[in-house]
């Protein structure tokens, strides 16, 4: 076929699929969602169909091609708010009807009449404070209403009326394959009264979808676009679907990005200032464990090329149900001026809501690396600076060996004068390779603890208790302990006097400063 004729036919087909549509971005002063007389358009706001990005003109108007089944969304600009939608989540998007009813088990996209105009109301936001605080959730992953109740009581309820966050993020696996649970879990999250952004995880896909293109229909009907951006005073957030659905393969997914996502990034990222933090939220980590191929290398390198000139970048990922910090360098394809920090966030559900229940009926949920379940916070300051923290869901009142920053394990008793082969272990939840961890005994000299690639003895002991139990101790037993990326050991002295000795550990957190915990052990004489 001649090239000219092919181009004409392509344009004709494209016109049938993606008509030029538009609307207005406006200052909704009275909050009724309609542009009334006197409510001006907002100029210079980014609007996207997930591939192309346009800016509203001086009257707030935009024009953008929108195909059947496509989403159009506004990039919420700094200094503005968007209204809440039907499920209490930010209404910054419009799902264009696919035209045909969905056959997917969990509903897919609702059918209806396509819209030829989409307006986006904005309202002025309060003046920001000295810092931006963000709640960061990962893998709440309920499989039942009972799990949603754990999420409500364990993660959300303690934050009600206490959080000062401006924004919340959930990094995928919002549910555990049962997509009918979306409305129930959204109601719990929305009760916080914080604008909340979601990305999809591998347990959020329509498993009966024939291909990757249709795998997030039900997710999109509840949460909107799977790839989008959101702007705050001190940071820009880009949320990315990085789960490639591979039906018929094992595993049925891999990490990576689509061409339309790269088109969006290539259009949007060059418009951003580089003096503020750029946060990328996704589900599957960009780094890979030794010997595993979990992310498409070419996609990671293509993303890194787009980020190379940004001096302040933070990647937030989830998926592993453990916690660690990873710094990308040339070994993973990063060629920026400084290593790229990826924080792989621990799970709300910990080890899938497993383990022995406490007095309140909530499972222990400790993760396989010994990290307690909980949530993270991100604080962003001027100039791209930020601080991270992990917040365990539950602390044991009066237990100085288990704090918000670390958990200690030590033997209760040792033989006085024995070879000092036994140690105190400190699982420092936010620790990394450069974290300094020290201990002392009986207010003595501080000594360095050694970072070890080992399983947390606290969880190993729980594994043994599960093994020795004659009956199930919970719905699911605690996970098998695996080597932790943030465990330190110090050898306990046995040459001290018979009796009890006080052990103190301190860790120097890069963002929260010095953190301490304490425990005790006893030395005892033993007959031959």
């Amino acid at each position: 076929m001649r090239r000219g004729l092919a181009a004409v036919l392509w344009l004709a087909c494209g016109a049938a699929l993606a008509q030029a549509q538009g609307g207005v971005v406006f200052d909704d002063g009275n909050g009724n969602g309609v542009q009334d007389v006197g409510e001006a358009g907002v100029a210079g706001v980014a609007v996207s169909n997930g591939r192309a990005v346009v800016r509203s003109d001086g009257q707030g108007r935009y024009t953008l091609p929108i195909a059947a089944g496509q989403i159009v969304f506004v990039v919420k600009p700094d200094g503005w708010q968007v209204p809440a939608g039907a499920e209490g989540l930010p209404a910054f998007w419009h799902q264009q009807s696919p035209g045909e009813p969905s056959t997917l088990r969990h509903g897919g996209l609702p059918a209806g009449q396509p819209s030829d105009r989409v307006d986006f109301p904005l309202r002025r936001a309060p003046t920001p404070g000295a810092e931006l605080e963000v709640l960061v959730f990962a893998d709440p992953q309920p499989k039942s209403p009972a799990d949603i109740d754990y999420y409500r009581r364990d993660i959300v309820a303690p934050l009600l009326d206490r959080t000062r966050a401006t924004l919340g993020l959930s990094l995928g696996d919002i549910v555990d394959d049962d997509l009918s649970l979306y409305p129930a879990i959204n109601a719990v999250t929305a009760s916080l009264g914080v604008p909340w952004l979601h990305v999809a995880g591998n347990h959020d896909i329509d498993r009966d979808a024939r291909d990757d293109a249709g795998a997030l229909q039900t997710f999109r009907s509840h949460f909107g676009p799977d790839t989008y951006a959101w702007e705050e005073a001190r940071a820009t957030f880009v949320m990315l679907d990085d789960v490639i659905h591979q039906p018929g393969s094992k595993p049925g997914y891999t990490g990576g990005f689509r061409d339309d996502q790269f088109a969006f990034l290539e259009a949007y990222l060059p418009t951003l200032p580089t003096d503020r933090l750029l946060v990328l939220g996704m589900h599957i980590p960009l780094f890979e464990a030794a010997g595993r191929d979990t992310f498409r290398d070419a996609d990671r390198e293509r993303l890194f090329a787009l980020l190379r000139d940004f001096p302040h970048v933070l990647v937030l990922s989830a998926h592993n149900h453990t916690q660690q910090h990873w710094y990308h360098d040339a070994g993973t394809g990063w060629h920026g001026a400084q290593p790229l920090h990826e924080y792989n966030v621990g799970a709300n559900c910990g080890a899938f809501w497993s383990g022995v229940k406490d007095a309140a009926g909530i499972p222990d949920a400790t993760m396989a690396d010994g990290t307690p379940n909980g949530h993270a916070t991100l604080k962003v300051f001027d100039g791209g600076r930020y601080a991270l923290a992990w917040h365990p869901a539950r602390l044991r009142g009066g237990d100085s060996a288990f704090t918000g920053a670390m958990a200690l394990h030590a033997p209760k008793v040792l033989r006085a004068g024995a070879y000092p082969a036994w140690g105190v272990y400190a699982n420092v939840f936010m620790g990394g390779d450069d974290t300094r961890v020290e201990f002392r005994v009986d207010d003595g000299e501080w000594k360095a603890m050694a970072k070890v690639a080992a399983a947390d003895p606290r969880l190993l002991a729980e594994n043994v208790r599960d093994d020795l139990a004659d009956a199930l101790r919970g719905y699911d037993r605690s996970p098998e302990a695996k080597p932790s990326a943030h465990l330190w050991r110090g050898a306990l002295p046995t040459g001290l006097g018979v009796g009890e000795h006080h052990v103190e550990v301190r860790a120097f957190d890069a963002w929260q400063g010095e953190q301490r915990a304490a425990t005790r052990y006893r030395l005892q004489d033993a007959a031959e």
Side-chain angles (χ1 to χ4, degrees), residues 172-244:
D173 283 359
I174 313 305
V175 296
D176 190 12
D177 294 329
D178 185 353
L179 310 189
S180 70
L181 295 174
Y182 280 152
I185 194 170
N186 286 346
V188 175
T189 306
S191 70
L192 287 166
V194 177
W196 212 275
L197 309 181
H198 295 76
V199 292
N202 54 292
H203 289 282
D204 293 314
I205 62 177
D206 287 291
R207 294 194 173 273
D208 50 342
R210 293 192 300 266
D211 52 27
D212 184 60
L216 290 179
Q217 288 192 34
T218 302
F219 176 91
R220 285 164 54 197
S221 71
H222 291 272
F223 302 104
D226 60 64
T227 296
Y228 57 98
W230 181 281
E231 297 171 358
E232 294 289 348
R234 292 173 177 82
T236 299
F237 297 83
V238 176
M239 307 294 279
L240 296 166
D241 165 37
D242 69 344
V243 181
I244 304 297

Coordinates of all heavy atoms in Angstrom, one line a residue, residues 172-244:
G172 N -0.4 0.1 45.8 CA -0.8 -1.1 45.2 C -1.2 -2.2 46.1 O -0.9 -2.2 47.3
D173 N -1.7 -3.3 45.5 CA -2.4 -4.4 46.2 C -3.3 -3.8 47.2 O -3.3 -4.1 48.4 CB -1.3 -5.3 46.8 CG -0.7 -6.2 45.8 OD1 -1.0 -6.2 44.6 OD2 0.2 -7.0 46.2
I174 N -4.2 -3.0 46.7 CA -5.3 -2.4 47.5 C -6.1 -3.5 48.1 O -6.6 -3.4 49.2 CB -6.1 -1.4 46.7 CG1 -5.2 -0.4 45.9 CG2 -7.0 -0.6 47.6 CD1 -4.2 0.3 46.7
V175 N -6.4 -4.5 47.3 CA -7.1 -5.7 47.8 C -6.3 -7.0 47.4 O -5.3 -6.8 46.6 CB -8.5 -5.8 47.3 CG1 -9.3 -4.7 47.8 CG2 -8.5 -5.8 45.7
D176 N -6.7 -8.1 47.8 CA -6.0 -9.4 47.4 C -6.9 -10.2 46.4 O -7.5 -11.2 46.8 CB -5.8 -10.2 48.7 CG -4.9 -11.4 48.5 OD1 -4.2 -11.4 47.4 OD2 -4.8 -12.2 49.3
D177 N -7.0 -9.6 45.2 CA -7.6 -10.3 44.1 C -9.2 -10.1 44.1 O -9.8 -10.2 43.0 CB -7.3 -11.8 43.9 CG -5.8 -12.0 43.6 OD1 -5.2 -11.2 42.9 OD2 -5.3 -13.0 44.1
D178 N -9.8 -9.9 45.2 CA -11.2 -9.8 45.3 C -11.6 -8.3 45.1 O -11.7 -7.5 46.0 CB -11.8 -10.3 46.6 CG -13.3 -10.2 46.6 OD1 -13.9 -9.7 45.7 OD2 -13.9 -10.7 47.6
L179 N -11.7 -7.9 43.8 CA -11.9 -6.4 43.5 C -13.3 -5.9 44.0 O -13.5 -4.7 44.0 CB -11.8 -6.2 42.0 CG -10.5 -6.8 41.3 CD1 -10.4 -6.3 39.9 CD2 -9.2 -6.5 42.1
S180 N -14.2 -6.8 44.4 CA -15.5 -6.3 44.9 C -15.3 -5.7 46.3 O -16.2 -5.0 46.7 CB -16.4 -7.5 45.0 OG -16.0 -8.4 46.1
L181 N -14.1 -5.8 46.9 CA -13.8 -5.1 48.1 C -13.4 -3.7 48.0 O -13.2 -3.0 49.0 CB -12.7 -5.9 48.9 CG -13.1 -7.3 49.3 CD1 -11.8 -8.0 49.9 CD2 -14.2 -7.4 50.3
Y182 N -13.2 -3.2 46.8 CA -12.8 -1.8 46.6 C -13.7 -0.8 47.3 O -13.2 0.1 48.1 CB -12.7 -1.5 45.1 CG -11.5 -1.9 44.4 CD1 -11.5 -2.2 43.0 CD2 -10.3 -2.1 45.1 CE1 -10.4 -2.6 42.4 CE2 -9.1 -2.5 44.4 CZ -9.2 -2.8 43.0 OH -8.1 -3.2 42.4
P183 N -15.0 -0.8 47.2 CA -15.8 0.2 47.8 C -15.6 0.2 49.4 O -15.6 1.2 50.0 CB -17.2 -0.1 47.4 CG -17.1 -0.8 46.1 CD -15.8 -1.6 46.3
A184 N -15.5 -1.0 49.9 CA -15.4 -1.1 51.4 C -14.1 -0.6 51.9 O -14.1 0.2 52.9 CB -15.6 -2.6 51.8
I185 N -13.0 -0.9 51.2 CA -11.7 -0.4 51.7 C -11.6 1.1 51.4 O -11.0 1.8 52.2 CB -10.5 -1.2 51.1 CG1 -9.3 -0.9 51.9 CG2 -10.3 -1.0 49.6 CD1 -8.1 -1.8 51.6
N186 N -12.1 1.6 50.3 CA -12.1 3.0 50.0 C -12.8 3.8 51.1 O -12.4 4.9 51.4 CB -12.7 3.3 48.6 CG -11.8 2.8 47.5 OD1 -10.6 2.6 47.7 ND2 -12.3 2.8 46.3
A187 N -13.9 3.3 51.6 CA -14.7 4.0 52.6 C -13.8 4.1 53.9 O -13.8 5.2 54.5 CB -16.0 3.2 52.9
V188 N -13.0 3.1 54.2 CA -12.2 3.2 55.4 C -11.0 4.2 55.1 O -10.8 5.1 56.0 CB -11.6 1.8 55.7 CG1 -10.5 1.9 56.8 CG2 -12.7 0.8 56.1
T189 N -10.4 4.2 54.0 CA -9.3 5.1 53.7 C -9.8 6.5 53.6 O -9.2 7.4 54.2 CB -8.6 4.7 52.4 OG1 -8.2 3.4 52.4 CG2 -7.4 5.6 52.1
A190 N -11.0 6.7 53.0 CA -11.5 8.1 52.8 C -11.9 8.7 54.2 O -12.0 9.9 54.3 CB -12.7 8.1 51.9
S191 N -12.1 7.9 55.2 CA -12.5 8.4 56.5 C -11.4 9.3 57.1 O -11.7 10.0 58.0 CB -12.9 7.2 57.5 OG -11.7 6.5 57.8
L192 N -10.2 9.2 56.6 CA -9.1 10.0 57.1 C -9.3 11.5 56.7 O -8.6 12.3 57.3 CB -7.8 9.5 56.6 CG -7.3 8.2 57.3 CD1 -6.1 7.6 56.5 CD2 -6.9 8.5 58.7
G193 N -10.1 11.7 55.6 CA -10.3 13.1 55.2 C -9.1 13.7 54.5 O -9.0 14.9 54.4
V194 N -8.2 12.8 54.0 CA -7.0 13.3 53.3 C -7.1 12.9 51.8 O -7.5 11.7 51.5 CB -5.8 12.6 53.9 CG1 -4.5 13.0 53.1 CG2 -5.6 13.0 55.4
P195 N -6.8 13.8 50.8 CA -6.8 13.4 49.4 C -5.9 12.2 49.2 O -4.7 12.2 49.7 CB -6.3 14.6 48.7 CG -6.6 15.7 49.6 CD -6.5 15.2 51.0
W196 N -6.4 11.1 48.6 CA -5.6 9.9 48.5 C -5.4 9.4 47.1 O -6.4 9.3 46.3 CB -6.4 8.8 49.3 CG -5.4 7.8 49.9 CD1 -4.9 6.7 49.4 CD2 -4.9 7.9 51.3 NE1 -4.0 6.1 50.2 CE2 -4.0 6.8 51.4 CE3 -5.1 8.8 52.3 CZ2 -3.3 6.6 52.6 CZ3 -4.4 8.6 53.5 CH2 -3.5 7.5 53.6
L197 N -4.2 9.1 46.8 CA -3.8 8.6 45.4 C -3.4 7.1 45.5 O -2.8 6.7 46.4 CB -2.6 9.4 44.9 CG -2.7 10.9 45.0 CD1 -1.5 11.6 44.4 CD2 -4.0 11.4 44.2
H198 N -3.8 6.4 44.4 CA -3.6 4.9 44.4 C -2.8 4.6 43.1 O -3.1 5.2 42.0 CB -4.9 4.2 44.4 CG -5.7 4.3 45.7 ND1 -6.4 5.5 46.0 CD2 -5.8 3.5 46.7 CE1 -7.0 5.3 47.2 NE2 -6.7 4.1 47.6
V199 N -2.0 3.6 43.2 CA -1.5 2.8 42.0 C -1.9 1.4 42.2 O -2.3 0.9 43.3 CB 0.0 2.9 41.9 CG1 0.5 4.4 41.5 CG2 0.8 2.4 43.1
A200 N -1.9 0.7 41.1 CA -2.3 -0.7 41.0 C -1.2 -1.6 41.4 O 0.0 -1.4 41.0 CB -2.9 -1.0 39.6
G201 N -1.6 -2.8 42.0 CA -0.6 -3.8 42.3 C -1.0 -5.1 41.5 O -2.0 -5.1 40.8
N202 N -0.2 -6.1 41.6 CA -0.5 -7.3 40.8 C -1.7 -8.0 41.3 O -2.3 -8.9 40.6 CB 0.7 -8.3 40.9 CG 1.2 -8.6 42.3 OD1 1.7 -7.7 42.9 ND2 1.0 -9.8 42.7
H203 N -2.2 -7.7 42.5 CA -3.5 -8.3 43.0 C -4.6 -7.3 42.8 O -5.7 -7.6 43.3 CB -3.3 -8.6 44.5 CG -2.4 -9.8 44.8 ND1 -2.9 -11.1 44.6 CD2 -1.1 -9.8 45.2 CE1 -1.9 -11.9 44.9 NE2 -0.8 -11.2 45.3
D204 N -4.4 -6.3 42.0 CA -5.5 -5.4 41.6 C -6.0 -5.5 40.2 O -6.8 -4.7 39.7 CB -5.1 -3.9 41.9 CG -4.8 -3.6 43.4 OD1 -5.7 -4.0 44.2 OD2 -3.8 -3.0 43.7
I205 N -5.5 -6.5 39.5 CA -5.8 -6.6 38.1 C -7.1 -7.5 37.9 O -7.4 -8.3 38.7 CB -4.7 -7.2 37.3 CG1 -4.3 -8.6 37.8 CG2 -3.5 -6.3 37.4 CD1 -3.2 -9.2 37.0
D206 N -7.8 -7.3 36.8 CA -8.8 -8.2 36.4 C -8.2 -9.5 35.8 O -7.7 -9.5 34.7 CB -9.7 -7.5 35.3 CG -10.6 -6.5 35.9 OD1 -11.5 -6.8 36.6 OD2 -10.3 -5.3 35.6
R207 N -8.2 -10.5 36.6 CA -7.4 -11.7 36.2 C -8.1 -12.4 35.0 O -7.4 -13.2 34.3 CB -7.3 -12.7 37.3 CG -6.4 -12.1 38.5 CD -6.0 -13.2 39.5 NE -5.0 -12.6 40.4 CZ -3.7 -12.5 40.2 NH1 -3.2 -13.0 39.1 NH2 -2.9 -12.0 41.1
D208 N -9.3 -12.1 34.7 CA -10.0 -12.7 33.5 C -9.8 -11.8 32.3 O -10.4 -12.1 31.2 CB -11.4 -13.0 33.8 CG -12.2 -11.8 34.3 OD1 -11.6 -10.9 34.9 OD2 -13.4 -11.8 34.3
A209 N -9.0 -10.7 32.4 CA -8.7 -9.9 31.2 C -7.8 -10.7 30.2 O -6.9 -11.4 30.6 CB -8.0 -8.6 31.6
R210 N -8.1 -10.5 28.9 CA -7.3 -11.2 27.9 C -5.9 -10.7 27.7 O -5.1 -11.5 27.3 CB -8.1 -11.2 26.6 CG -9.4 -11.9 26.6 CD -9.9 -12.0 25.1 NE -10.1 -10.7 24.5 CZ -11.3 -10.1 24.5 NH1 -12.3 -10.6 25.1 NH2 -11.3 -8.9 23.9
D211 N -5.7 -9.5 28.1 CA -4.3 -8.9 27.9 C -4.1 -7.8 28.9 O -4.9 -7.4 29.7 CB -4.2 -8.4 26.4 CG -5.3 -7.4 26.0 OD1 -5.9 -6.8 26.9 OD2 -5.7 -7.4 24.8
D212 N -2.9 -7.2 28.8 CA -2.5 -6.2 29.7 C -3.3 -4.9 29.5 O -3.7 -4.2 30.5 CB -1.0 -5.9 29.6 CG -0.5 -4.8 30.6 OD1 -0.6 -5.1 31.8 OD2 -0.1 -3.7 30.1
A213 N -3.7 -4.7 28.3 CA -4.5 -3.4 28.0 C -5.8 -3.4 28.7 O -6.3 -2.3 29.1 CB -4.7 -3.3 26.5
G214 N -6.4 -4.5 29.0 CA -7.7 -4.6 29.7 C -7.6 -5.0 31.1 O -8.7 -5.2 31.7
A215 N -6.4 -5.1 31.7 CA -6.3 -5.7 33.0 C -6.6 -4.8 34.1 O -6.8 -5.3 35.3 CB -4.8 -6.2 33.1
L216 N -6.8 -3.5 33.9 CA -7.1 -2.6 35.0 C -8.4 -1.9 34.8 O -8.6 -0.8 35.4 CB -5.9 -1.6 35.2 CG -4.6 -2.1 35.7 CD1 -3.6 -1.0 35.8 CD2 -4.8 -2.8 37.0
Q217 N -9.3 -2.5 34.1 CA -10.6 -1.8 33.9 C -11.4 -1.6 35.2 O -11.9 -0.5 35.5 CB -11.5 -2.7 33.0 CG -11.0 -2.6 31.5 CD -12.0 -3.2 30.6 OE1 -13.2 -3.1 30.8 NE2 -11.6 -3.9 29.5
T218 N -11.4 -2.6 36.1 CA -12.2 -2.4 37.3 C -11.4 -1.5 38.2 O -12.0 -0.6 38.9 CB -12.4 -3.8 38.0 OG1 -13.1 -4.7 37.2 CG2 -13.1 -3.6 39.3
F219 N -10.1 -1.5 38.3 CA -9.3 -0.6 39.1 C -9.6 0.8 38.6 O -9.8 1.7 39.4 CB -7.8 -0.9 38.9 CG -6.9 0.1 39.6 CD1 -6.5 -0.1 40.9 CD2 -6.4 1.2 38.9 CE1 -5.7 0.8 41.5 CE2 -5.6 2.1 39.5 CZ -5.2 1.9 40.8
R220 N -9.6 1.1 37.3 CA -9.8 2.4 36.7 C -11.2 2.9 37.0 O -11.4 4.1 37.2 CB -9.5 2.4 35.2 CG -8.0 2.3 34.9 CD -7.8 1.9 33.5 NE -8.5 2.8 32.5 CZ -8.7 2.5 31.3 NH1 -8.3 1.3 30.8 NH2 -9.4 3.3 30.5
S221 N -12.2 2.0 37.1 CA -13.6 2.5 37.4 C -13.7 3.0 38.8 O -14.6 3.8 39.1 CB -14.6 1.4 37.1 OG -14.5 0.4 38.1
H222 N -12.8 2.6 39.7 CA -12.8 3.1 41.1 C -11.8 4.2 41.4 O -12.1 5.1 42.1 CB -12.6 1.9 42.0 CG -13.7 0.9 42.1 ND1 -14.8 1.0 42.9 CD2 -13.9 -0.2 41.4 CE1 -15.6 0.0 42.8 NE2 -15.1 -0.7 41.8
F223 N -10.6 4.1 40.8 CA -9.5 5.0 41.1 C -9.1 5.9 40.0 O -8.3 6.8 40.3 CB -8.3 4.1 41.6 CG -8.6 3.2 42.7 CD1 -8.8 1.8 42.5 CD2 -8.7 3.7 44.0 CE1 -9.0 1.0 43.5 CE2 -8.9 2.8 45.1 CZ -9.1 1.5 44.8
G224 N -9.5 5.7 38.8 CA -9.2 6.6 37.7 C -7.9 6.1 37.0 O -7.7 4.9 36.8
P225 N -7.1 7.0 36.5 CA -6.0 6.6 35.6 C -5.0 5.8 36.4 O -4.8 6.0 37.6 CB -5.4 8.0 35.2 CG -5.8 9.0 36.3 CD -7.2 8.5 36.7
D226 N -4.3 4.9 35.7 CA -3.3 4.1 36.4 C -1.9 4.8 36.4 O -1.0 4.4 37.0 CB -3.2 2.7 35.7 CG -2.8 2.8 34.3 OD1 -1.7 3.2 33.9 OD2 -3.7 2.3 33.4
T227 N -1.8 5.8 35.5 CA -0.5 6.6 35.4 C -0.9 8.1 35.4 O -1.7 8.5 34.4 CB 0.3 6.2 34.2 OG1 0.7 4.8 34.4 CG2 1.5 7.1 34.1
Y228 N -0.4 8.9 36.3 CA -0.9 10.3 36.4 C 0.1 11.1 37.3 O 1.1 10.5 37.8 CB -2.3 10.4 36.9 CG -2.5 9.7 38.3 CD1 -2.5 10.5 39.4 CD2 -2.7 8.3 38.4 CE1 -2.7 9.9 40.7 CE2 -2.9 7.7 39.6 CZ -2.9 8.5 40.8 OH -3.0 7.9 42.0
A229 N -0.2 12.4 37.4 CA 0.7 13.2 38.2 C -0.2 14.1 39.1 O -1.4 14.4 38.9 CB 1.6 14.1 37.4
W230 N 0.5 14.6 40.2 CA -0.2 15.5 41.2 C 0.8 16.4 41.7 O 1.9 16.0 42.1 CB -0.8 14.5 42.3 CG -1.5 15.2 43.4 CD1 -1.0 15.8 44.5 CD2 -2.9 15.2 43.6 NE1 -2.0 16.2 45.3 CE2 -3.2 15.8 44.8 CE3 -4.0 14.7 42.9 CZ2 -4.4 16.0 45.3 CZ3 -5.3 14.8 43.4 CH2 -5.5 15.5 44.6
E231 N 0.5 17.7 41.8 CA 1.5 18.7 42.2 C 1.2 19.3 43.5 O 0.0 19.8 43.7 CB 1.7 19.8 41.1 CG 2.1 19.2 39.8 CD 2.1 20.2 38.6 OE1 1.6 21.3 38.8 OE2 2.5 19.8 37.5
E232 N 2.2 19.4 44.4 CA 2.1 20.1 45.7 C 3.2 21.2 45.7 O 4.0 21.2 44.8 CB 2.2 19.1 46.8 CG 1.1 18.1 46.9 CD -0.2 18.8 47.4 OE1 -0.2 19.9 47.8 OE2 -1.3 18.1 47.3
A233 N 3.2 22.0 46.8 CA 4.1 23.1 46.8 C 5.5 22.7 46.8 O 6.4 23.4 46.2 CB 3.8 23.9 48.1
R234 N 5.9 21.6 47.4 CA 7.3 21.2 47.5 C 7.6 19.9 46.8 O 8.8 19.5 46.9 CB 7.7 21.1 49.0 CG 7.7 22.5 49.7 CD 7.9 22.4 51.2 NE 7.9 23.7 51.8 CZ 6.8 24.4 52.1 NH1 5.6 23.9 51.8 NH2 6.9 25.7 52.5
A235 N 6.7 19.3 46.2 CA 7.0 18.1 45.5 C 6.0 17.8 44.4 O 4.8 18.3 44.4 CB 6.9 16.9 46.5
T236 N 6.4 17.1 43.4 CA 5.5 16.6 42.3 C 5.5 15.1 42.5 O 6.5 14.4 42.6 CB 6.1 17.0 40.9 OG1 6.1 18.4 40.8 CG2 5.2 16.4 39.8
F237 N 4.3 14.5 42.4 CA 4.1 13.1 42.5 C 3.7 12.5 41.2 O 2.7 13.0 40.6 CB 3.1 12.8 43.6 CG 3.4 13.2 45.0 CD1 3.2 14.6 45.4 CD2 4.1 12.4 45.9 CE1 3.6 15.0 46.6 CE2 4.5 12.8 47.1 CZ 4.2 14.1 47.5
V238 N 4.4 11.5 40.7 CA 4.0 10.8 39.5 C 3.8 9.3 39.9 O 4.6 8.6 40.4 CB 5.1 10.9 38.5 CG1 4.8 10.0 37.2 CG2 5.4 12.3 38.1
M239 N 2.5 8.9 39.7 CA 2.1 7.6 40.1 C 2.0 6.7 38.9 O 1.4 7.1 37.9 CB 0.7 7.6 40.8 CG 0.7 8.6 42.0 SD 1.7 8.2 43.3 CE 0.7 7.0 44.2
L240 N 2.7 5.5 38.9 CA 2.9 4.7 37.7 C 2.4 3.3 38.0 O 2.9 2.6 38.9 CB 4.4 4.7 37.4 CG 5.0 6.0 37.0 CD1 6.5 5.9 37.0 CD2 4.5 6.4 35.6
D241 N 1.6 2.8 37.1 CA 1.3 1.3 37.0 C 2.6 0.7 36.4 O 3.0 1.0 35.3 CB 0.1 1.1 36.1 CG 0.0 -0.4 35.7 OD1 0.3 -1.3 36.5 OD2 -0.4 -0.6 34.6
D242 N 3.2 -0.2 37.2 CA 4.3 -1.0 36.6 C 4.1 -2.5 36.7 O 5.1 -3.2 36.7 CB 5.6 -0.5 37.4 CG 5.7 -1.0 38.8 OD1 4.7 -1.4 39.4 OD2 6.8 -1.0 39.4
V243 N 2.9 -2.9 36.6 CA 2.6 -4.3 36.5 C 2.1 -4.7 35.1 O 1.1 -4.2 34.6 CB 1.4 -4.7 37.5 CG1 1.2 -6.2 37.5 CG2 1.8 -4.3 39.0
I244 N 2.9 -5.5 34.4 CA 2.5 -6.0 33.1 C 1.9 -7.3 33.2 O 2.5 -8.3 33.6 CB 3.8 -6.1 32.2 CG1 4.5 -4.7 32.1 CG2 3.4 -6.5 30.8 CD1 3.8 -3.6 31.5

